[in-house]
Amino acid sequence: MTFTVTAAVLLAAVLHSAWNALAKSIPDRLASSTMIAIAYFVSGVVGAAVFGLPLQQSWPFVLASAGLQTCYLILLTTSYKHGDFSQVYPLARGLAVLLVTAVATTFLAEKLSPWQLTGVAVVAGSLLSLALTGKGAARTGPTNRKGTLFAVLTGASIAAYTLVDGTGVRVSGDPMAYISWLFLLQGLLIPLVCWRLAADRRSFAKRVARYWKPGFAGGLVSMLAYGIVVWAQSLAPLALVSALRETSVLLAGLIGALFFNERFSRVRLALTVTAVAGIAAIQLG
């Protein structure tokens, strides 16, 4: 895995944390998701006009990924309804790393060195440990169990669309065309789903318009972050890209401490340092 690809994926992790911070600043999650999706659609239309169509054999992957990422959004918002952010987010992202690694090395014939496998395990372990140290981990009862269940399903959906995109982009002929059409389709599907889930559909458009600035900005940053990831998947093993990408969980803790006055505990600091060691092992491999 080259230094350029590693640096690009780590940049994507920073951008992922940034757009999650923007999304967190919007109290209405359905309105936020819709505005983010509108940014996807606008950018996807422009990209499709510039880069054209991906090769025919990649279209099943584009369609499948758009559906999976829409399901991911539903599962994620349901997870946050029943569980705490500090538990749901790291559990879902850490589980995704393990699932992607297991499938990529078993069924997609990706070869990782012992150092790289160790690095992936260290990064995934650091993320999963955050789920055990968050406030949500201390709560028990049906609500918390539901949060954990939906977080696991969210992690499975992340792994699924990561594997689909990692395979699809390699047969697309043009990663930029693949990415453009993926975002265009998500930009159509996600607003429809959010409108369907809205408790008051008549006021939904007004709520979306109220948060259009941070939502649209979050959409652009989110699109750039995942676009970098899909591009990296066309050049590097999926397991390594997934592990590096999900370090956004640790970076989100830094953003919370710097901008939202959230406590950055010694445990989180230790896990961050451990994850950095895992990243170094991936690069050394």
Side-chain angles (χ1 to χ4, degrees):
M1 191 168 181
T2 67
F3 175 79
T4 300
V5 174
T6 300
V9 177
L10 289 176
L11 172 61
V14 173
L15 294 173
H16 190 274
S17 301
W19 84 256
N20 272 268
L22 284 169
K24 182 179 179 180
S25 69
I26 302 174
D28 190 326
R29 281 197 289 268
L30 289 178
S32 171
S33 297
T34 299
M35 201 61 243
I36 287 171
I38 290 173
Y40 287 176
F41 178 76
V42 172
S43 302
V45 168
V46 173
V50 173
F51 299 106
L53 295 170
L55 295 179
Q56 183 177 357
Q57 54 264 41
S58 70
W59 274 101
F61 298 98
V62 175
L63 295 172
S65 179
L68 285 168
Q69 296 205 47
T70 301
C71 291
Y72 153 74
L73 175 69
I74 298 170
L75 290 168
L76 183 66
T77 54
T78 305
S79 299
Y80 288 145
K81 178 180 178 181
H82 295 290
D84 294 312
F85 180 84
S86 60
Q87 180 191 25
V88 168
Y89 190 33
L91 178 58
R93 311 309 296 198
L95 180 61
V97 174
L98 294 179
L99 291 175
V100 168
T101 303
V103 174
T105 55
T106 304
F107 298 103
L108 301 182
E110 288 195 346
K111 302 296 183 182
L112 301 182
S113 71
W115 272 110
Q116 289 172 328
L117 283 172
T118 300
V120 170
V122 168
V123 171
S126 299
L127 303 184
L128 291 172
S129 296
L130 285 173
L132 301 177
T133 59
K135 292 180 180 179
R139 284 198 301 120
T140 58
T143 299
N144 198 45
R145 287 196 293 270
K146 283 185 178 180
T148 301
L149 172 62
F150 281 108
V152 169
L153 293 175
T154 301
S157 69
I158 294 169
Y161 74 66
T162 297
L163 291 163
V164 167
D165 285 335
T167 304
V169 73
R170 295 177 182 181
V171 298
S172 67
D174 185 347
M176 297 306 298
Y178 182 96
I179 293 165
S180 297
W181 281 95
L182 174 60
F183 282 119
L184 191 157
L185 292 176
Q186 285 186 72
L188 290 173
L189 283 174
I190 292 174
L192 290 175
V193 172
C194 290
W195 176 81
R196 180 65 180 167
L197 293 175
D200 184 1
R201 296 173 190 166
R202 289 177 296 180
S203 65
F204 185 65
K206 291 182 179 179
R207 300 204 318 270
V208 172
R210 185 183 309 162
Y211 302 111
W212 79 268
K213 287 184 179 180
F216 195 81
L220 292 177
V221 176
S222 170
M223 181 192 63
L224 179 58
Y226 194 62
I228 292 172
V229 168
V230 175
W231 166 79
Q233 288 173 336
S234 69
L235 301 171
L238 303 185
L240 302 187
V241 174
S242 176
L244 291 177
R245 177 198 179 200
E246 304 308 355
T247 55
S248 61
V249 176
L250 303 168
L251 296 170
L254 289 173
I255 289 176
L258 293 173
F259 298 103
F260 295 110
N261 296 318
E262 295 179 355
R263 183 170 173 265
F264 194 81
S265 67
R266 292 181 179 178
V267 173
R268 184 177 285 274
L269 176 60
L271 291 172
T272 300
V273 172
T274 303
V276 170
I279 293 171
I282 289 172
Q283 187 60 24
L284 288 173

